Amino acid sequence: MSIDLHTHSHFSDGTMSPSELVALAKAKRLSAIALTDHDTMAGVEEAMAAGLALGIEIVPGIEISVSHQQIEYHILGYFADPEQPDFAAALLTMQEARNQRNSKILEKLKALGIAVSDEALQSISAQGQTGRPHIARLLVQSGVVTSISQAFDQFLKKGRPAFVTRFVHEAVAAVTLIRQAGGIAVLAHPSYNDPALIRLPTLLTELVPAGLEGIEAYYPTHSRAMRKKISALAHRYNLLLTGGSDYHGEVRPGTSLAGGGNVFVPPELLLKMKERWRQRRS
Ligand code: AMP
Ligand code: ZN
Ligand code: FE
Ligand code: FE
């Protein structure tokens, strides 16, 4: 029986509601899942209720986009308290930055002759965080492009005419904030933006002293060799290993929750995480 510690709902850029995700996890016979929406924990309550009803353990989580020496990384936070004042304020800052950026992107599109209204965007992203993936879906829906990747390639990615940067926290600051909120900070998919793991050792020498406690080792695109490299580093720094599918729903064809034919994530990883969390609290 697998678990899945990395999933997205429509509270960020996934397409399923938290309840639908939990029902899918039940159908796939997963014993536990974490909801890790981008920059928000707003879907956690619904996931918890669904988990209780269906007998699936739910781990409260979040995935925070951060920057370190101008490179973007993602930090997962588990069991953090979304109401801890500093953490809550930091999330609000990110959410406001997103809103400002979305308006700027729409303005740039308008200047390019593509009229997409804020109302249309809100209807695509009814809950939680709105980001470029929603704008991409809107561009597909309005027939401007034929796919989400075309929307990024032609308009939304860095260097393209509707690209706008957004504020993100420094990696060390995000780790500190998660820790202050009582959470466990984990580096997500370390191969992202660092495919040969060249920068990872140096990154760890800064993030571990700040309170990083784990690395995501089990991930759909990680080969066994990659997992071994990550495990060796984790061992050196006494870090937890985690894993998950990064499932976003049907928007990404061919993807699924963990287990079955997809990445298998051993339940022991969650037991070890909870043990560490309890020890810290006692
Ligand atoms: P945002 O957080 O609004 O900047 O959007 C970032 C998200 O957009 C990433 O997490 C990806 O899910 C998605 N994304 C980024 N680049 C691309 C791309 N070239 N094609 C499709 N999706 C992308
Ligand atoms: Zn995403
Ligand atoms: Fe990510
Ligand atoms: Fe993710």
Side-chain angles (χ1 to χ4, degrees), residues 30 51 53 143 215 222-223 238:
L30 300 181
I215 315 185
H222 285 181
S223 65
N238 187 29

Side-chain angles (χ1 to χ4, degrees), residues 214-237:
I215 315 185
E216 190 171 54
Y218 296 77
Y219 194 73
T221 56
H222 285 181
S223 65
R224 188 179 301 212
M226 170 78 71
R227 209 158 65 211
K228 273 194 165 167
K229 271 196 203 172
I230 295 170
S231 302
L233 275 167
H235 190 74
R236 189 188 306 166
Y237 289 101

Side-chain angles (χ1 to χ4, degrees), residues 8 13 38-39 63 65 72 74 98 101-102 105 130-136 148-153 156-157 163-164 166 192 246 248 252:
H8 295 274
D13 56 346
H38 298 282
D39 306 337
E63 181 175 25
S65 307
E72 185 184 327
H74 293 176
R98 268 188 186 283
R101 177 223 214 178
N102 290 336
I105 294 177
T130 305
R132 285 181 297 164
H134 302 95
I135 299 177
I148 288 178
S149 57
Q150 195 195 344
F152 273 91
D153 288 344
L156 301 174
K157 74 179 186 187
F163 176 76
V164 178
R166 78 178 160 99
Y192 170 87
D246 208 356
H248 281 70
R252 298 188 185 176

Side-chain angles (χ1 to χ4, degrees), residues 47-217:
M48 291 283 199
L52 205 61
L54 295 179
I56 297 202
E57 182 176 0
I58 306 297
V59 177
I62 189 166
E63 181 175 25
I64 300 181
S65 307
V66 300
S67 130
H68 183 263
Q69 295 178 350
Q70 267 87 68
I71 297 163
E72 185 184 327
Y73 294 93
H74 293 176
I75 307 285
L76 294 157
Y78 297 106
F79 300 110
D81 172 8
E83 288 174 8
Q84 195 274 338
D86 292 340
F87 186 57
L91 296 187
L92 205 61
T93 305
M94 276 185 278
Q95 292 159 6
E96 280 166 0
R98 268 188 186 283
N99 292 340
Q100 284 170 13
R101 177 223 214 178
N102 290 336
S103 309
K104 284 187 194 153
I105 294 177
L106 294 191
E107 275 169 29
K108 283 196 165 186
L109 286 170
K110 197 172 163 192
L112 293 165
I114 300 160
V116 275
S117 72
D118 196 45
E119 292 70 43
L121 184 59
Q122 292 316 317
S123 73
I124 275 203
S125 173
Q127 270 84 13
Q129 293 303 287
T130 305
R132 285 181 297 164
H134 302 95
I135 299 177
R137 270 191 253 160
L138 191 58
L139 291 175
V140 174
Q141 219 176 64
S142 5
V144 175
V145 291
T146 54
S147 67
I148 288 178
S149 57
Q150 195 195 344
F152 273 91
D153 288 344
Q154 218 170 312
F155 298 106
L156 301 174
K157 74 179 186 187
K158 201 168 182 172
R160 295 300 170 202
F163 176 76
V164 178
T165 51
R166 78 178 160 99
F167 164 82
V168 293
H169 292 283
E170 282 293 319
V172 165
V175 167
T176 308
L177 284 160
I178 291 169
R179 220 16 218 268
Q180 274 178 358
I184 296 208
V186 172
L187 179 67
H189 44 61
S191 60
Y192 170 87
N193 283 337
D194 187 14
L197 305 184
I198 306 287
R199 291 188 295 261
L200 181 57
T202 314
L203 182 66
L204 291 179
T205 60
E206 291 189 36
L207 297 192
V208 171
L212 188 82
E213 294 187 82
I215 315 185
E216 190 171 54

